[in-house]
Amino acid sequence: MVTKKFQDMKLSALGLGTMRLPVLDHDEAKVDEEKTAEMVAYAMEQGINYYDTAWGYHDGNSELVMGKVLSKYPRDSYYLATKFPGYDLDNMDKVEEIFEKQLEKCRVEYFDFYLIHNVCEMNINEYLDEKYGIYKYLVEQKKNGRIRHLGFSAHGNYDVMKRFLEAYGEHMEFCQIQLNYIDWSFQDAKRKVDLLREYQLPIWVMEPLRGGKLAKLPEESEKKLKNLRPDEQVPAWAFRFLQSIPGVTMILSGMSNYEQLQDNIKTFETEKPLSEEEMDALLGIADGMLDGNLPCTACHYCVSHCPQGLDIPTLLDLYNEHSFTGGGFLAPMALMAIPEEKHPTACVGCRSCEAVCPQQIKISEAMSDFAGKL
């Protein structure tokens, strides 16, 4: 396992993200504890020592399951990260209550890494508002040793990140951003990377495979990459891209089954940055993939805020497919397996989902357009 130095620590370059753990009965709230335990055991054996969870993952059950599974291992054998859930503005005045509950759920006395979560356009003003005391409280927990390293994650644009860093950069030790070869240009990730370098902050990566979208490419694109590296699998290219970006310290992958975990660990046995020719080819492929698709990463924040209980990530995925192909039978066929009251026509346009979408997708407009296309 490739390792990276962070201060006086040696971190596995690959971290296990727990937003997409194996589940039972296709229910995101029902984490398969047995399979998760098997994955963690293998990850530990292969040298992964960083585990990333959060308050909202799996409807609040990710922290519970990871706390139970990791409690079987010596506390100094792993690093645990979780986050304050500022993606929901209702949480802003509950930082102490939530933090104490997170320690309880995760069965620990301290967090190795703690993040101010999902800094973006919808919450930057609240995060900077001293009346909520979020920053002050978390810095105090760091002084008390209950947070070993404090950082933040950001889905917001460059200006939002800059505002946050200008206010709190002094006490931030790392920053987690969405970074992959699609978002290098699409979400201005290159500029964000440059900003973090200005502040000398190590980079933590989320969505390296763009919610699985970079795990498989069109045949023509795959052929181009095979000509350059015959033995490299498609998902590995996404990780090699990140290994080519100076400052990247931690790459988190939300692996949902044992096979994905094995494949990713195999990739991280070596560090093989891209050549200039390979980088140009990969970014060229990215340019071709950006036509028309909505950038949903299936984080499921929207689902918990939908009064109709729609499976929005699935519907957006079907919408992208239907739009990309100009119609066809795949989306209508898939919708046949979904109750009619959960179709895009059930969207009432309340925009509650949009208020918590890290990607700032205009979901209600997409649902209306999807219904019209169907």
Side-chain angles (χ1 to χ4, degrees):
M1 170 63 64
V2 174
T3 60
K4 295 287 184 177
K5 183 176 174 57
F6 174 76
Q7 298 183 17
D8 61 346
M9 309 162 72
K10 185 182 287 187
L11 303 177
S12 56
L14 175 65
L16 180 61
T18 65
M19 187 172 77
R20 299 184 179 93
L21 293 170
V23 298
L24 298 168
D25 304 321
H26 305 287
D27 187 340
E28 287 296 315
K30 297 179 180 177
V31 178
D32 189 322
E33 293 186 21
E34 183 178 348
K35 289 184 178 178
T36 298
E38 290 176 356
M39 289 174 64
V40 170
Y42 183 74
M44 287 280 195
E45 178 186 318
Q46 297 299 316
I48 291 180
N49 61 11
Y50 190 99
Y51 298 85
D52 172 271
T53 185
W55 179 261
Y57 293 173
H58 289 286
D59 287 351
N61 292 313
S62 175
E63 287 179 328
L64 283 169
V65 171
M66 292 308 296
K68 181 177 180 180
V69 170
L70 289 172
S71 67
K72 301 173 184 177
Y73 299 89
R75 184 62 184 88
D76 61 359
S77 67
Y78 64 89
Y79 300 112
L80 179 62
T82 195
K83 315 170 185 78
F84 174 74
Y87 58 83
D88 188 339
L89 298 182
D90 289 340
N91 294 330
M92 289 297 180
D93 59 352
K94 301 180 178 70
V95 61
E96 182 174 358
E97 173 189 340
I98 288 173
F99 184 80
E100 296 296 339
K101 185 65 177 179
Q102 287 176 308
L103 288 172
E104 178 185 330
K105 289 171 70 178
C106 293
R107 307 188 186 192
V108 294
E109 296 181 354
Y110 66 90
F111 293 112
D112 301 281
F113 295 86
Y114 197 88
L115 296 87
I116 296 175
H117 196 187
N118 187 24
V119 176
C120 64
E121 289 78 359
M122 69 179 181
N123 60 26
I124 183 63
N125 291 330
E126 285 76 12
Y127 268 141
L128 298 183
D129 194 331
E130 294 182 2
K131 76 177 182 182
Y132 295 113
I134 297 168
Y135 172 74
K136 181 179 178 181
Y137 178 80
L138 295 178
V139 169
E140 190 64 29
Q141 301 317 304
K142 182 181 174 184
K143 290 178 181 176
N144 294 339
R146 301 209 295 171
I147 293 174
R148 299 293 168 87
H149 300 284
L150 181 62
F152 73 106
S153 68
H155 280 287
N157 62 30
Y158 176 92
D159 292 335
V160 165
M161 287 180 58
K162 191 168 179 62
R163 280 184 65 193
F164 186 87
L165 286 166
E166 287 172 347
Y168 300 147
E170 178 184 359
H171 284 284
M172 295 297 111
E173 297 176 78
F174 63 102
C175 176
Q176 186 168 305
I177 62 172
Q178 182 168 309
L179 180 57
N180 52 66
Y181 61 85
I182 287 286
D183 290 319
W184 191 240
S185 61
F186 188 53
Q187 289 203 1
D188 209 12
K190 182 180 185 301
R191 193 171 175 225
K192 295 174 185 178
V193 166
D194 291 339
L195 175 65
L196 295 176
R197 285 180 187 149
E198 288 179 27
Y199 280 83
Q200 299 182 327
L201 287 180
I203 299 167
W204 263 230
V205 173
M206 55 182 161
E207 300 295 351
L209 290 169
R210 205 55 160 66
K213 287 181 171 59
L214 302 182
K216 186 174 177 60
L217 297 176
E219 185 177 347
E220 183 179 348
S221 298
E222 186 172 344
K223 185 176 179 181
K224 287 181 181 178
L225 298 182
K226 282 290 184 184
N227 287 337
L228 292 167
R229 292 192 181 189
D231 297 327
E232 199 85 273
Q233 300 301 309
V234 169
W237 277 88
F239 296 123
R240 301 305 185 203
F241 169 79
L242 295 169
Q243 290 178 346
S244 309
I245 308 299
V248 168
T249 300
M250 171 57 58
I251 300 172
L252 297 166
S253 183
M255 296 162 276
S256 56
N257 59 58
Y258 200 82
E259 292 72 27
Q260 290 176 1
L261 178 64
Q262 287 180 309
D263 289 344
N264 290 352
I265 286 175
K266 185 176 181 180
T267 297
F268 278 85
E269 289 176 356
T270 57
E271 192 165 28
K272 297 179 180 178
L274 303 180
S275 68
E276 185 175 346
E277 178 188 7
E278 291 167 338
M279 181 67 80
D280 289 344
L282 195 62
L283 294 179
I285 288 171
D287 289 341
M289 295 173 65
L290 289 174
D291 295 336
N293 278 8
L294 296 178
C296 176
T297 62
C299 68
H300 285 84
Y301 294 156
C302 55
V303 175
S304 62
H305 284 70
C306 177
Q308 301 294 87
L310 301 184
D311 185 351
I312 295 170
T314 295
L315 293 177
L316 288 179
D317 189 54
L318 293 175
Y319 173 67
N320 278 337
E321 195 285 329
H322 204 59
S323 299
F324 182 74
T325 57
F329 66 95
L330 291 178
M333 184 175 66
L335 284 169
M336 289 175 63
I338 299 174
E340 190 169 349
E341 65 267 24
K342 301 299 182 183
H343 283 203
T345 50
C347 174
V348 296
C350 68
R351 300 185 185 275
S352 295
C353 54
E354 296 175 16
V356 296
C357 176
Q359 312 301 325
Q360 302 294 294
I361 298 171
K362 296 185 185 301
I363 297 169
S364 59
E365 293 180 14
M367 292 298 101
S368 177
D369 188 47
F370 195 10
K373 282 181 165 62
L374 289 168

